[in-house]
Amino acid sequence: MDAPNQVSQQEAAQPTAAPAPAPAGTAAPVDPLAGQTAKQSSSNATEHQSQVRQQYPPPQVDQTQNAQPSASNQQPTQPNPNQQNPAAQQRQRVMARDRYNHQSLGASLNSSVKQARVLMVGAGGIGCELLKNLVLTGFAEIHIVDLDTIDLSNLNRQFLFRQEHIKKSKALVAKDAATKFNPNVKIVAHHANIKDDEFTVSWFKDFSIVFNALDNLEARRHVNKMCLAADVPLIESGTTGFNGQVQVIKKRSTACYDCTPKDTPKSFPVCTIRSTPSQPIHCIVWGKTSEIEELKKESEALKKIRDAVGTNNFPQMLFDKVFHSDIERLRSVEDMWKSRRKPEPLKYETVYTQATEAVASKDQILSDGQRVWTLEENLVVFKDSLDRLSKRMLDLKKAKDPAEAEPIITFDKDDIDTLDFVASGANIRSTIFGIDRKSRFDIKEMAGNIIPAIATTNAIVAGLCVLEAFKVLKGDYGQAKEVFLTPFAAARLLAPDTLRLPNPDCPVCGVFNISIKADLSRATLNDVVEDIVKKQLGFGDKEFVLSNEVGIMYDVDETENLPKKLSDLGIKGGSFLTVVDEDDDEEPFVNIVIDVEDSIIDENDKPVQPKFEGSPKIPRKPTKAAVTNDDANGMQQNGTKTSQPGPETESKGVKRAHPGDDAPPTKKAKLTTDDEDVVVVHDVGGAIVIDDD
């Protein structure tokens, strides 16, 4: 836009060409208006130049630098400090960037961005890209929360981190790296868990927008719950390989993260894991469930092995127990091996005597996680990892308080000690059962439920998050979209979809949220029941249940907790209480979630006080039409009949259905028969839960 004006200024500054002289001997024609025209033209040019100078004033130049110094008073020219100061040049770049933001976003939106206070949870793959975008866009204040530290495997896609940052806090390093992009933005880093007590509902209320950049289902649900309680818009995002998704969540306007059920975790029968593995994943799951803390479950049989933790005999004793004695016991069950290959037990001494070369090159083996180790190399890693874990266990026991529980070491895909143990143990067991061994790199992916992350996918999703944030800042939720990134779909790369409406039966967003302040040093449960629920919320004589995360604290038949202090019941600042209307009304209240804030209240006042004025208008639960015989082949939901789709109507698209659309076919869960025990593999932190009681 500035180029045309600059050209005009240059043209205006050029002198007017003089007319050609008349030939000799010929009198020049006299134009009576020539003098008047020339004067007028000169006056217009002068006036135009004056206007240009006022609109685009030339840079201020020190006249003493341009003037010719006299011979008697000649001084050296002083350099311009702005040309040499990097900080000044950075400020100029920031000012230029803000001008471009003003032009592209508009005055109103750019002003909202510069005043916004945002929270970003997670500083990993999406988080690094998102933080860069937020800083360059000019958001005024950005808070980052991440408990994780930087690992070598992060460097291929998390571009704010470098080799020297390994083992350092992601949040703190990301803050330092992003500040260089725009020093005018205030960045506050929290190396902490978003579920910590310090991050209360009141703390969430101070933000304009919250961005989720997490890879953890449990943390996602927590942030979703806190944003709904604080009534702060949340922009949820996630990637899976080449696929990605961005979703705007606003209380009472859109569906929340928990409005739709999530995929069930993978499961394996315990008998397969323990006795008849046939795939590498079976041996890997066995390795994860057989770590040191699991030895406590077989108290007498493994007492000697437990006592040997930290000694030189410990690796051999454990090896012979799980890879020889237990295998021999399995082989003795003849019926089990009629149709499958018998496992071959291994002896520690036999394998170790063949591992002379592997022992000598231990450091080289441990540094090469991409190659599939031999049996002897796996034994070397098995022994070395047990030595490391044993030392850690002894240190934990020494530092343990007598009143605390026994320390344990749990599997973490980023913990090299536990990863080496699981990888080597799984490979040794695979050898026994004739299963292909895997590299440590592959086992890390399988044990940690890792799906390879793509840097480009993270960048696209982070950009979509900021675009949706602009709509949120303008309050234009009607234009906000739930965007799916599906590069291999038949349709298009980006598939925007209208936001879903809240699910009235959702246990998270289908509730009514309120906040109270309580002096926990003297407030009792009876104060909450009488002063808040019955009086302020208008329950009166209605029957209701009051509970927390642990269980029921009060109902008509459960009154012994009423005189107890809230602190004695485990309630603290940031705790949630849930009120469930159990009266026989045709239209009962929806569930009410009470956020308890710890506060110091004058002794003359009641120890529990509401943070709302008057009596809130609590919505009623929606009525559901009864299912009649005519609906035997369909589902009755909110008075609208939805037919079950047949095979010919199955949706083959990549997007989920909306209310009013035909319901998509649900996945059939794999059922176990004969009350078979099941190992459930959760995607949260790589945890394994065994249900075998």
Side-chain angles (χ1 to χ4, degrees), residues 450-578:
I450 300 174
I451 297 175
I454 310 299
T456 306
T457 307
N458 292 335
I460 295 173
V461 167
L464 292 172
C465 287
V466 177
L467 293 178
E468 294 303 317
F470 292 155
K471 302 172 187 176
V472 171
L473 288 176
K474 293 189 294 186
D476 195 358
Y477 291 98
Q479 293 297 321
K481 303 292 183 182
E482 183 172 4
V483 187
F484 297 87
L485 173 62
T486 53
F488 299 110
R492 46 185 175 170
L493 175 67
L494 295 177
D497 215 341
T498 55
L499 294 176
R500 292 166 290 158
L501 295 176
N503 178 5
D505 296 324
C506 177
V508 180
C509 70
V511 301
F512 186 76
N513 294 93
I514 64 168
S515 295
I516 63 172
K517 54 182 180 180
D519 190 340
L520 298 180
S521 63
R522 56 194 183 95
T524 65
L525 184 64
N526 187 68
D527 295 325
V528 176
V529 170
E530 295 295 333
D531 297 337
I532 301 298
V533 180
K534 291 186 176 181
K535 293 182 180 179
Q536 295 291 340
L537 299 181
F539 272 72
D541 296 331
K542 291 170 66 72
E543 292 187 6
F544 61 90
V545 173
L546 182 65
S547 60
N548 64 354
E549 297 86 352
V550 178
I552 295 177
M553 306 180 68
Y554 164 83
D555 65 10
V556 177
D557 301 320
E558 189 84 15
T559 60
E560 60 268 17
N561 290 327
L562 288 176
K564 296 180 180 179
K565 293 183 178 180
L566 297 180
S567 56
D568 295 336
L569 295 172
I571 300 174
K572 53 188 178 181
S575 295
F576 288 97
L577 302 177
T578 303

Side-chain angles (χ1 to χ4, degrees), residues 296-554:
K296 295 182 294 185
K297 294 185 177 180
E298 301 179 49
S299 56
E300 293 301 325
L302 294 173
K303 186 178 185 305
K304 291 182 179 181
I305 298 179
R306 293 200 314 274
D307 294 340
V309 172
T311 67
N312 294 332
N313 295 329
F314 176 60
Q316 180 175 355
M317 295 174 66
L318 181 60
F319 186 98
D320 287 339
K321 168 67 172 61
V322 296
F323 297 130
H324 186 269
S325 300
D326 290 353
I327 301 301
E328 287 285 8
R329 188 171 64 250
L330 284 176
R331 284 170 58 91
S332 65
V333 185
E334 295 294 339
D335 293 342
M336 189 181 295
W337 311 110
K338 288 182 178 180
S339 59
R340 55 171 63 95
R341 172 187 177 276
K342 277 189 177 184
E344 298 294 335
L346 297 173
K347 286 288 291 184
Y348 181 88
E349 291 183 355
T350 303
V351 181
Y352 194 75
T353 54
Q354 302 171 358
T356 305
E357 183 178 347
V359 172
S361 56
K362 180 184 70 175
D363 294 339
Q364 183 179 355
I365 296 171
L366 291 172
S367 63
D368 187 1
Q370 300 280 350
R371 183 174 56 86
V372 178
W373 296 327
T374 64
L375 173 62
E376 292 76 17
E377 289 172 338
N378 277 289
L379 175 60
V380 171
V381 177
F382 180 82
K383 180 179 182 300
D384 185 75
S385 63
L386 278 178
D387 290 340
R388 285 177 274 152
L389 290 170
S390 297
K391 291 177 182 178
R392 285 172 55 178
M393 179 62 72
L394 293 177
D395 292 340
L396 290 173
K397 288 184 176 181
K398 289 180 182 178
K400 181 183 77 70
D401 188 270
E404 295 178 350
E406 286 295 318
I408 60 174
I409 301 175
T410 57
F411 173 78
D412 186 341
K413 61 181 175 59
D414 295 319
D415 183 345
I416 191 63
D417 297 342
T418 58
L419 179 59
D420 280 346
F421 174 80
V422 170
S424 58
N427 277 333
I428 294 172
R429 186 171 174 85
S430 294
T431 303
I432 291 172
F433 284 89
I435 302 171
D436 291 339
R437 295 186 293 269
K438 295 290 183 179
S439 69
R440 182 176 62 192
F441 179 82
D442 292 334
I443 289 176
K444 179 178 180 179
E445 287 190 349
M446 298 170 73
N449 298 315
I450 300 174
I451 297 175
I454 310 299
T456 306
T457 307
N458 292 335
I460 295 173
V461 167
L464 292 172
C465 287
V466 177
L467 293 178
E468 294 303 317
F470 292 155
K471 302 172 187 176
V472 171
L473 288 176
K474 293 189 294 186
D476 195 358
Y477 291 98
Q479 293 297 321
K481 303 292 183 182
E482 183 172 4
V483 187
F484 297 87
L485 173 62
T486 53
F488 299 110
R492 46 185 175 170
L493 175 67
L494 295 177
D497 215 341
T498 55
L499 294 176
R500 292 166 290 158
L501 295 176
N503 178 5
D505 296 324
C506 177
V508 180
C509 70
V511 301
F512 186 76
N513 294 93
I514 64 168
S515 295
I516 63 172
K517 54 182 180 180
D519 190 340
L520 298 180
S521 63
R522 56 194 183 95
T524 65
L525 184 64
N526 187 68
D527 295 325
V528 176
V529 170
E530 295 295 333
D531 297 337
I532 301 298
V533 180
K534 291 186 176 181
K535 293 182 180 179
Q536 295 291 340
L537 299 181
F539 272 72
D541 296 331
K542 291 170 66 72
E543 292 187 6
F544 61 90
V545 173
L546 182 65
S547 60
N548 64 354
E549 297 86 352
V550 178
I552 295 177
M553 306 180 68
Y554 164 83

Side-chain angles (χ1 to χ4, degrees), residues 86-338:
Q89 295 178 357
Q90 176 70 13
R91 284 195 296 272
Q92 292 176 0
R93 287 194 293 268
V94 171
M95 293 174 62
R97 184 185 303 121
D98 182 67
R99 184 172 74 250
Y100 300 145
N101 290 342
H102 181 89
Q103 293 174 349
S104 59
L105 301 180
S108 177
L109 179 56
N110 188 49
S111 176
S112 299
V113 168
K114 293 169 66 175
Q115 298 175 17
R117 190 170 186 263
V118 302
L119 167 65
M120 187 185 79
V121 187
I126 298 177
C128 283
E129 295 288 345
L130 180 57
L131 179 61
K132 176 256 299 178
N133 292 344
L134 295 175
V135 167
L136 294 178
T137 308
F139 281 84
E141 184 175 342
I142 306 169
H143 286 242
I144 314 167
V145 180
D146 197 310
L147 182 63
D148 202 4
T149 56
I150 299 166
D151 185 68
L152 177 63
S153 62
N154 302 144
L155 303 186
N156 71 330
R157 64 192 181 280
Q158 299 174 19
F159 300 128
L160 296 182
F161 309 142
R162 297 293 182 266
Q163 184 82 24
E164 61 270 19
H165 298 145
I166 292 176
K167 300 301 181 185
K168 294 183 180 179
S169 166
K170 284 187 176 182
L172 298 175
V173 174
K175 169 195 171 184
D176 295 338
T179 300
K180 299 176 183 178
F181 296 157
N182 189 349
N184 289 351
V185 175
K186 179 181 178 182
I187 304 178
V188 182
H190 306 268
H191 180 63
N193 191 334
I194 192 61
K195 298 175 68 176
D196 290 346
D197 295 339
E198 60 180 304
F199 305 122
T200 62
V201 173
S202 297
W203 185 77
F204 272 84
K205 286 181 179 179
D206 291 335
F207 295 102
S208 308
I209 305 177
V210 176
F211 294 91
N212 250 358
L214 294 161
D215 59 356
N216 185 309
L217 182 63
E218 185 179 358
R220 277 188 168 117
R221 284 176 164 162
H222 176 79
V223 175
N224 176 64
K225 176 181 177 181
M226 298 298 285
C227 288
L228 291 171
D231 198 10
V232 175
L234 168 66
I235 298 182
E236 171 65 47
S237 62
T239 62
T240 303
F242 289 99
N243 298 325
Q245 181 179 0
V246 175
Q247 177 186 3
V248 176
I249 298 173
K250 182 67 169 72
K251 187 174 179 65
R252 292 183 295 272
S253 298
T254 71
C256 78
Y257 186 74
D258 285 309
C259 276
T260 53
K262 302 299 178 286
D263 291 339
T264 55
K266 303 173 185 177
S267 62
F268 304 96
V270 169
C271 62
T272 300
I273 299 301
R274 291 180 176 176
S275 305
T276 57
S278 59
Q279 301 175 22
I281 187 62
H282 297 156
C283 297
I284 294 170
V285 172
W286 172 88
K288 290 176 65 174
T289 60
S290 301
E291 294 186 52
I292 293 178
E293 69 270 22
E294 294 296 325
L295 300 180
K296 295 182 294 185
K297 294 185 177 180
E298 301 179 49
S299 56
E300 293 301 325
L302 294 173
K303 186 178 185 305
K304 291 182 179 181
I305 298 179
R306 293 200 314 274
D307 294 340
V309 172
T311 67
N312 294 332
N313 295 329
F314 176 60
Q316 180 175 355
M317 295 174 66
L318 181 60
F319 186 98
D320 287 339
K321 168 67 172 61
V322 296
F323 297 130
H324 186 269
S325 300
D326 290 353
I327 301 301
E328 287 285 8
R329 188 171 64 250
L330 284 176
R331 284 170 58 91
S332 65
V333 185
E334 295 294 339
D335 293 342
M336 189 181 295
W337 311 110
K338 288 182 178 180

